[in-house]
């Protein structure tokens, strides 16, 4: 995986951008590598967002290797990873919405605290 990362990191800055990933997936060798991880490599943007854990717009070596390990297995793993990503994103949006409503309504206990208390019941 280190060699694959180095090949994807064309400019040698230690990070892969979406453009670099898309360009290299046109290479039959790289396409074959990613097809072995997940047959649905047509969803390059989603694959990239899943690997970009810190949401920096770039994938570093650690994110790449971790992302590849998470995708290894049968074809359903990418679907599950996408669902996990979307679920976390929606959860964060719900908490933000609750906090905004609390602010508008002047409620004393922030939504984040109410959610964590409710989740521990």
């Amino acid at each position: 995986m280190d060699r694959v990362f180095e090949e994807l990191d064309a400019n040698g800055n230690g990070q892969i951008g979406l453009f670099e990933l898309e360009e290299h997936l046109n290479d039959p060798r790289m396409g074959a590598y990613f097809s072995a991880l997940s047959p649905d490599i047509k969803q390059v943007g989603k694959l990239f967002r899943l690997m970009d854990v810190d949401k920096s717009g770039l994938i570093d070596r650690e994110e790449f290797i971790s992302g590849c390990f998470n995708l290894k297995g049968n074809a359903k793993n990418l679907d599950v990873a996408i669902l996990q990503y979307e679920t976390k994103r929606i959860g964060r949006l719900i908490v933000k919405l609750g906090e905004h409503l609390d602010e508008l309504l002047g409620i004393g206990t922030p939504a984040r605290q109410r959610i964590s208390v409710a989740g521990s019941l």
Side-chain angles (χ1 to χ4, degrees), residues 2-11 24 27 29-30:
D2 279 324
R3 273 189 283 143
V4 172
F5 179 84
E6 288 171 12
E7 214 170 308
L8 290 171
D9 181 20
N11 62 7
H24 281 89
D27 176 340
R29 291 180 309 118
M30 285 294 154

Side-chain angles (χ1 to χ4, degrees), residues 37-104:
L37 292 176
S38 173
D40 196 3
I41 61 168
K42 293 179 181 111
Q43 298 186 44
V44 179
K46 287 184 180 182
L47 175 66
F48 184 86
R49 284 191 301 277
L50 287 169
M51 289 183 163
D52 184 18
V53 176
D54 64 2
K55 306 301 173 224
S56 65
L58 298 167
I59 299 171
D60 64 26
R61 183 180 306 272
E62 183 179 321
E63 288 173 320
F64 177 77
I65 291 172
S66 174
C68 288
F69 276 124
N70 288 337
L71 293 172
K72 261 188 169 176
N74 61 32
K76 302 290 182 205
N77 284 352
L78 177 58
D79 297 328
V80 171
I82 290 170
L83 287 173
Q84 288 173 333
Y85 169 81
E86 292 296 330
T87 302
K88 287 178 186 176
R89 186 181 66 81
I90 290 169
R92 286 190 300 270
L93 289 173
I94 290 170
V95 169
K96 284 182 182 180
L97 176 62
E99 289 171 347
H100 183 67
L101 286 172
D102 287 348
E103 194 176 295
L104 286 174

